[in-house]
């Protein structure tokens, strides 16, 4: 095993080009587990912790450019207003120690369906800034997840940043685990209202081979809200609409039975979370909120 | 050669005072908070090698061939050993039945069974070499439950059994069977106005101690070996290790390293023999440290169980009869299975008066992971079932569940289903009364001042699944009975060596036992006993090792009773000899030396009237008084193999719990809000430590109620979740406040009247949580742990 | 490979480090600092918690090569770290005065009685928060850092901050007591 320590982004790209099998490591919260438990013996470890840019973020007019290695703790503390869904999701990641170290780049690189950031990124709308010595490109989040623990990155590419649309409305995130802290998602759900475009976006974690959006549910809800004039009136969403939205979110799942939960439960729980997060975000949108964002 | 991490003696001097009954602080506390306390995985020796175990990837297979040549040829590798390399004819070990091969021979019987061991100069070298060992397996069908174990054509997990249980079981895949029959169940059933039946399932729990199996074996010049290890019983290890090595016991010198928790999981051997074999083969010190993945394969687990219960009661709420069948899955090797069967059977009726009883408990041999000791063994599984039954009966009779229990609660003088009379306090009704009387935690504590929900206090916690929606509160009660000490005629004794002398102008007592301090606080209590009995401030606790006689196991809630008793006894003998010395030296100066009751207090010899006769410093002078003596509790007897009658247990221990839970009924997530406990401990030698034991035991019971389970694939008998990612134990956010009410009703048979305390709280905690969840949801819930699927019907 | 970094204010060099080694392994097996514990090596227990450039992290998940040039504080250095914080020097390392002060203190070789402890360490002993003690070092580092950030934590704050540290012995009640006690004593001292 070789340990590559690039001092800059350019050096990191050069190293990755030279050694496409090199495994990038930043927070180490995935890679080191695999090494400690002898599940993986990469030929090269590519340490990105010396690349300062990856730990920075910029808040732009419409979006946030979030460095790939900005720790979850920083996101929770500093980006709650701009990225409320991701901030809530960040708060559910593992433990304080892990949140101090891990970042969104790692979640995207591993592309596990259970990664906590994915539903929030899908719901908010995001683009992954990938780069190699060949150049830089932006991959829409919807096109990023290509299979179980597979993503759209080329072998020589590294994730530099994620561009996430700033919240233009309430966002929520919910995750089911069988423990009240430090738990991997049995399933998770992200929801973002986009009053600007009068659309709703969702993200589902751990209930399909990849993180997915419930697009049919989004379209149904978008149409129902639009046709009913809800965006303008701010009326309470009828239970029948919420129920159907929840059912369509469940239907968007393609889960499996595993040691963490059954497929049936996952479908059920996604529906419950869809309904609840819709209620919380909608109450918040109506401005009569009493308990929307949790105590995150 | 340099060695780091060898245990040093602990001296508590003038800063700490306090005899029995006081909450003195741990003598090892400072070392533990500064990181200096040497645990077994902290051992380091110059020039040491690392041992690595190769384990079976399948549960049941014939070993066709093993090729170690490539592993041996790896640079940095010093030894690779298989069964064929074992040095003597003794190639098996076991706590009761020697059925466990040191390294697999011809066959593997469970997933993760050790097949070969490697020693190399770096752990990675050892891992890579182990991966190069080529083992060819021919898989066999797996035995996974009672049906597959006792089928007429079932493959035998162990052929040609010759152990002492083999002759009385109906099938070679049954380790042991114990019936308990008293009265006439058929007749009593006719008197019952209501009958309830239930079939209960208890999942496989892991001890999940945090300090992984580890230790260091150092070869000695005399051909022997020094072994530093974390265990629960040094001498039981020694008895199993020495014959395999072909060494006399005195050449295997064992010292207890720091133990990072045990809970039963260190009763069986893990890396001990492997490290010694590699050290003796290579002539170098060998360290072995399991990682967490390996730890799940490196020790036995709590027996999963299926329990079939039928209870009857009259319409005024008196139990008429109990018929029960308890099937425990012992896995591939016997470990403590026979004792677990004895406990489950003899305690299967719970702390209730019921005259007509027919209980049968069996343990199976299967290809599942071996199961053995874990806190409360046998009694834990039974308590889950009989307490569910009590709630069902109360519901059927439309009675309050606590009142129903109190109506049937045993008290001193009651007769157990084994015929044994309970001859010390059994305050079952009083414990229930006390937990019920505790104030209830306020409703909806998660509402903050601004009426926002603090999700940290709601089911789901930080995961933000509810802001109060779907949340329903429930309350449940349970009580349990556990035996203390080793039962069924076992010669249960301990040994203490106590020395008294003047050091630096001050009388000092030194206590030396082989007791395994696993965190429970035995070392604290030994110092307290010495202070109380010998009137000194300074007490030195010597490291536990095999240079002193056996202390028995740190298990069965027995160490304060038995080794505490041995220390007390040795102190009393030392005191007599000190007083003799005083009489010889000063007896002529004061008549009280001959006539009065004399005590040692505050470093002086005093009369019971408080008159000071002499300073201990003067009495002792240059002499050291030392006593090493065995001490045993009153004998027990085996249960009759047909009827289960017999004076099987030396003492009983009781605890009751009230659980308050909030359940998100839509998502099936549970938050335990409070787990109140009342327990009788006879005498709290150290109240702070006793409460700590009760809270810790309670939390392990909570874990197996709502999250903890080793999941074994029924098709392959392979473990699916051997990690802390998927075997979940409660975090601080899952654990509620645990108010504790400690009763002290003395047992006159026990030293200071104390009652073993460590296990009872692990029994009733689980059924209390389950009862509370049932109360919140109205669901029957016959299985633990409860999973969200069970609460949502998905 | 070779790794140079600072541990508890003192420069350290580890040689012949295998590239897959964790910071935890280097501390325990190469630098003679086994206080950080090896309970799970998968970031699920917190027993190996150290401060890396001030931030609490699981040292089992930090690759050894990643600490090159960085500062690490372990449980072994916690008392000194807390002492310097209370004096407001902020810097790590032992001054000459402090070195003299250290040697002037009599400590008991057996139990460490008389050792100067961080307030949170003393509180863990006093409250009975230590049983087997294997989780203790990680909890102490995490609790000390929380009290640095949040001197008046609510119970929910304490539970959240310590939710990455598993304990199997105590049921956490006495750990809660210990942290409350440390916070109260810290409040009195100000």
């Amino acid at each position: 095993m070789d340990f590559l320590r690039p001092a800059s982004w350019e050096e990191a790209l050069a190293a990755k080009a030279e050694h496409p099998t090199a495994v990038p490591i930043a927070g180490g919260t995935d890679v080191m587990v695999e090494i400690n438990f002898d599940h993986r013996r990469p030929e090269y470890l590519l340490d990105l912790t010396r690349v300062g840019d990856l730990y920075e973020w910029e808040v732009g007019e419409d979006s946030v450019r979030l460095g790939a290695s900005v720790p979850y703790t920083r996101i929770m503390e500093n980006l709650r207003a701009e990225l409320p869904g991701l901030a809530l999701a960040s708060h559910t990641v593992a433990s304080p120690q892990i949140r101090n170290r891990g970042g969104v780049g790692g979640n995207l690189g591993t592309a596990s369906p259970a990664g906590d950031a994915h539903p929030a990124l899908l719901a908010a709308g995001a683009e992954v800034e990938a780069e190699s010595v060949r150049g830089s490109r932006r991959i829409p989040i919807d096109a990023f997840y290509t299979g179980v623990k597979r993503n759209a990155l080329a072998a020589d590419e590294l994730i530099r940043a994620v561009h996430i649309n700033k919240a233009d409305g309430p966002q929520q995130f919910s995750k089911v685990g069988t423990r009240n802290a430090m738990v991997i998602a049995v399933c998770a759900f992200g929801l973002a209202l986009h009053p600007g475009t009068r659309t709703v976006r969702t993200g589902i974690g751990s209930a399909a081979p990849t993180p997915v959006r419930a697009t049919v549910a989004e379209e149904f809800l978008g149409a129902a809200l639009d046709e009913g004039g809800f965006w303008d009136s701010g009326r309470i969403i009828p239970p029948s609409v919420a129920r159907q939205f929840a059912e369509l979110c469940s239907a968007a799942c393609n889960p499996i039975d595993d040691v963490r939960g059954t497929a049936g439960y996952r479908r059920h729980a996604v529906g419950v979370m869809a309904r609840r997060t819709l209620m919380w975000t909608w109450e918040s949108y109506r401005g009569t909120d009493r308990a929307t964002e949790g105590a995150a | 050669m340099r060695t780091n991490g060898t245990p040093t003696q602990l001296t508590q001097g003038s800063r700490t005072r306090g005899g029995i009954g006081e909450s003195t602080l741990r003598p090892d506390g400072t070392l533990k908070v500064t990181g200096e306390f040497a645990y077994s995985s902290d051992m380091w020796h110059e020039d040491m090698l690392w041992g690595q175990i190769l384990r079976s990837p399948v549960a049941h297979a014939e070993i066709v061939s093993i090729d170690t040549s490539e592993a041996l040829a790896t640079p940095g590798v010093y030894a690779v050993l298989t069964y064929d390399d074992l040095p003597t004819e003794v190639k098996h070990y076991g706590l009761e039945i020697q059925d466990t091969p040191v390294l697999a021979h011809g066959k593997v019987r469970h997933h993760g069974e050790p097949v070969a061991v490697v020693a190399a100069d770096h752990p990675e070298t050892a891992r890579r070499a182990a991966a190069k060992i080529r083992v060819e397996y021919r898989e066999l069908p797996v035995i996974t439950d009672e049906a597959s174990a006792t089928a007429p054509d079932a493959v035998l997990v162990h052929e040609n059994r010759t152990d002492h249980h083999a002759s009385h079981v109906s099938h070679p895949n049954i380790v042991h069977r114990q019936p308990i029959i008293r009265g006439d169940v058929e007749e009593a059933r006719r008197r019952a106005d209501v009958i309830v039946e239930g079939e209960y399932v208890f999942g496989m729990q892991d001890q999940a101690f945090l300090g992984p199996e580890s230790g260091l074996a150092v070869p000695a010049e005399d051909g022997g070996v020094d072994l530093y290890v974390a265990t629960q019983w040094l001498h039981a290890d020694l008895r199993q290790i020495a014959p395999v090595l072909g060494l006399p016991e005195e050449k295997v010198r064992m010292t207890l390293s720091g133990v990072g928790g045990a809970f039963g999981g260190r009763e069986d051997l893990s890396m001990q023999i492997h490290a010694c074999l590699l050290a003796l083969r290579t002539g170098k010190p060998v360290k072995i440290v399991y990682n967490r993945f390996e730890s799940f394969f490196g020790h036995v687990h709590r027996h999963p169980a299926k329990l079939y219960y039928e209870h009857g009661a009259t319409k005024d709420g008196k139990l008429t009869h109990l018929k029960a069948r308890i099937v425990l899955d012992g896995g591939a090797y016997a470990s403590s299975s026979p004792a677990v069967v004895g406990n489950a059977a003899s305690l299967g009726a719970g702390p209730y008066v019921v005259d007509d009883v027919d209980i049968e408990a069996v343990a199976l041999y299967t290809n599942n992971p071996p199961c053995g000791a874990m806190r409360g063994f046998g009694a834990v599984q039974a308590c889950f079932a009989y307490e569910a039954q009590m709630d069902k009966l109360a519901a059927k009779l439309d009675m309050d569940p606590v009142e129903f229990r109190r109506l049937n609660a045993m008290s001193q003088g009651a007769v157990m289903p084994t015929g044994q009379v309970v001859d010390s306090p059994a305050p079952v009704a009083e414990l229930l009364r006390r937990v019920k009387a505790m104030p209830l935690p306020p409703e909806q504590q998660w509402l903050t001042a601004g009426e926002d929900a603090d999700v940290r206090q709601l089911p789901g916690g930080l995961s933000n699944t509810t802001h109060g929606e779907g949340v329903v509160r429930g309350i449940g009660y349970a009580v349990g009975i556990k035996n203390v000490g080793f039962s069924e005629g076992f010669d249960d004794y301990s040994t203490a060596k106590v020395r008294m002398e003047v050091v630096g102008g001050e009388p000092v007592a030194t206590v030396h036992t082989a007791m395994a301090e696993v965190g429970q606080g035995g070392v604290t209590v030994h110092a307290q006993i010495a202070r109380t009995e010998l009137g000194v401030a300074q007490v030195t606790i010597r490291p536990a090792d095999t240079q002193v006689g056996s202390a028995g196991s740190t298990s069965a809630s027995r160490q304060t009773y038995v080794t505490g008793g041995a220390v007390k006894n040795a102190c009393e003998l030392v005191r007599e000899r000190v007083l003799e010395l005083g009489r010889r030296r000063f007896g002529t100066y004061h008549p009280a030396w001959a006539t009065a009751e004399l005590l040692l207090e505050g470093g002086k010899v005093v009369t019971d009237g408080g008159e000071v006769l002499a300073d201990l410093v003067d009495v002792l002078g240059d002499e050291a008084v030392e006593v090493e003596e065995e001490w045993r509790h009153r004998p027990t007897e085996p249960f009759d193999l047909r009827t289960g009658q017999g004076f099987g247990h030396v003492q009983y221990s009781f605890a009751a719990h009230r659980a308050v839970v909030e359940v998100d009924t839509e998502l099936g997530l549970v938050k335990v809000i409070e787990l109140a406990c009342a327990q009788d401990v006879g005498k709290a030698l150290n109240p702070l430590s006793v409460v700590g034991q009760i809270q810790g035991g309670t939390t392990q019971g909570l874990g197996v109620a709502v999250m903890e389970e080793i999941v074994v694939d029924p098709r392959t008998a392979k473990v699916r979740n051997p990690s802390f990612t998927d075997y979940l134990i409660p975090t601080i956010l899952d654990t509620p406040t645990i108010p504790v009410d400690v009763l002290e009703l003395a047992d006159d048979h026990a030293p200071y009247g104390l009652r073993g305390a460590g296990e009872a709280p692990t029994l009733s905690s689980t059924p209390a949580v389950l009862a509370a969840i049932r109360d919140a949801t109205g669901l029957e819930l016959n299985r633990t742990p409860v999973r969200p699927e069970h609460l949502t019907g998905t | 490979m070779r790794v140079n970094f600072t541990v508890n204010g003192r420069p350290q060099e580890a040689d012949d480090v295998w590239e897959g080694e964790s910071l935890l392994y280097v501390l325990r097996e190469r630098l003679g600092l086994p206080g950080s514990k090896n309970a799970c090596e998968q970031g699920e227990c917190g027993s190996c918690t150290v401060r890396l450039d001030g931030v609490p992290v699981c040292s089992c998940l930090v690759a050894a090569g990643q600490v090159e040039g960085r500062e690490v504080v372990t449980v072994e250095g916690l008392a000194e770290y807390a002492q310097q914080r209370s004096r407001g020097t902020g810097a790590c390392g032992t001054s000459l005065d402090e070195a003299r002060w250290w040697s002037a203190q009599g400590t008991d070789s057996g139990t460490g009685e008389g050792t100067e402890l961080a307030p949170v360490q003393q509180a863990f002993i006093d409250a009975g928060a230590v049983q087997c003690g294997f989780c203790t070092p990680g909890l102490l580092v995490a609790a000390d850092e929380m009290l640095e950030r949040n001197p008046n934590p609510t119970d929910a704050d304490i539970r959240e901050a310590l939710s990455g540290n598993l304990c199997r012995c105590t049921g956490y009640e006495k750990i809660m007591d210990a942290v409350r006690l440390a916070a109260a004593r810290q409040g009195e001292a100000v």
Side-chain angles (χ1 to χ4, degrees), chain B residues 588-619:
Chain B
T588 54
Y589 300 117
H590 199 302
W593 280 101
T595 56
E597 187 85 6
L598 299 182
L599 310 167
L600 306 186
E601 272 178 17
K604 296 174 177 18
V605 178
V606 299
T607 67
D608 54 353
E611 188 180 355
V612 175
L613 298 188
D615 271 358
L616 281 172
V617 172
D618 300 323
V619 172

Side-chain angles (χ1 to χ4, degrees), chain A residues 15-294:
Chain A
K16 186 66 172 153
E18 193 181 342
H19 308 290
T21 60
V23 174
I25 176 169
T29 56
D30 281 331
V31 178
M32 285 304 288
V33 176
E34 296 186 314
I35 291 176
N36 291 344
F37 278 16
D38 207 0
H39 293 160
R40 192 173 193 180
R41 284 289 176 270
E43 207 178 338
Y44 298 95
L45 279 178
L46 179 60
D47 175 31
L48 297 175
T49 55
R50 258 145 247 287
V51 182
D53 316 352
L54 299 180
Y55 290 83
E56 286 167 11
W57 67 88
E58 294 157 39
V59 178
E61 196 144 313
D62 299 318
S63 67
V64 175
R65 182 178 183 276
L66 181 71
S69 297
V70 173
Y72 291 110
T73 304
R74 294 277 92 75
I75 300 171
M76 286 157 54
E77 288 171 352
N78 300 293
L79 293 167
R80 267 192 73 178
E82 296 84 356
L83 308 174
L86 186 63
L88 279 164
S90 299
H91 206 157
T92 75
V93 172
S95 66
Q97 289 89 328
I98 304 297
R99 300 198 281 270
N100 283 340
R101 194 98 179 118
V104 173
N107 247 203
L108 290 167
T110 302
S112 158
D116 294 317
H118 307 315
L121 296 177
L122 285 166
E127 287 181 342
V128 179
E129 183 183 331
E131 197 171 340
S132 70
V133 290
R134 296 176 290 115
S136 175
R137 62 175 176 141
R138 289 198 185 190
I139 307 167
I141 193 70
D142 299 72
F144 186 78
Y145 311 106
T146 55
V148 180
K149 296 198 175 186
R150 291 161 58 108
N151 58 34
L153 292 178
D156 62 347
E157 280 182 317
L158 292 170
I159 299 167
R160 183 169 200 173
V162 189
H163 299 259
I164 309 155
N165 297 335
K166 279 166 72 175
D168 58 336
Q171 301 185 350
Q172 274 291 348
F173 177 85
S174 231
K175 153 177 151 183
V176 167
T178 43
R179 184 159 72 178
N180 286 313
M182 198 158 54
V183 69
I184 293 189
V186 173
C187 53
F189 190 82
L191 179 71
L193 302 184
H194 299 286
T197 51
R198 301 208 160 181
T199 56
V200 177
R201 284 177 64 112
T202 60
I204 297 173
S206 263
T210 66
V212 292
R213 283 171 63 195
T215 44
V216 177
E218 291 174 8
E219 281 159 21
F220 159 77
L221 183 62
L225 293 176
D226 223 16
E227 286 159 20
F230 288 92
W231 291 107
D232 295 321
S233 68
R235 276 191 295 122
I236 292 172
I237 295 176
S240 60
V241 172
R243 201 178 315 122
Q244 191 163 353
F245 173 68
E247 279 166 16
L248 290 169
C249 287
S250 288
C253 300
N254 181 19
I256 54 165
D257 287 334
D258 66 14
V259 74
R260 292 174 194 149
T262 61
Y265 175 74
R266 287 186 160 105
R267 255 188 226 103
H268 165 80
V270 164
V272 174
M273 290 190 288
R275 180 160 44 77
R276 288 182 183 175
T277 52
L278 174 59
M279 288 303 138
W280 300 337
T281 49
W282 191 253
E283 284 302 299
S284 179
Y285 174 71
R286 298 172 68 221
T288 57
D289 166 48
R290 311 193 88 152
T292 49
E293 290 178 18

Side-chain angles (χ1 to χ4, degrees), chain B residues 493-559:
Chain B
Y493 72 95
S494 182
T495 317
K497 186 193 273 189
V498 174
R499 181 184 173 93
M500 198 166 172
E501 66 199 312
V502 176
V503 178
E506 204 184 333
V508 176
T510 302
V511 179
H512 188 190
T513 73
M515 178 204 66
E517 169 62 48
V518 302
Q520 82 278 19
V523 290
T524 323
V525 164
H526 291 179
Q528 291 176 263
I529 292 172
R531 279 191 215 103
T532 296
E533 300 299 334
L534 298 175
V536 297
Q538 284 251 33
V539 181
T540 294
I541 307 291
R542 292 267 313 269
D545 56 30
T546 50
Q547 308 302 306
V548 63
S550 173
S553 181
T554 299
S555 58
S557 306
R558 66 179 282 287
Q559 276 303 20

Side-chain angles (χ1 to χ4, degrees), chain B residues 561-581:
Chain B
Y561 190 134
V562 189
T563 300
V567 171
K568 177 174 186 276
N569 179 57
C571 286
E572 286 165 353
L573 295 172
V574 165
R575 184 173 62 210
E576 279 169 33
R577 296 207 2 216
V578 168
L579 290 175
E580 271 170 41
L581 206 57

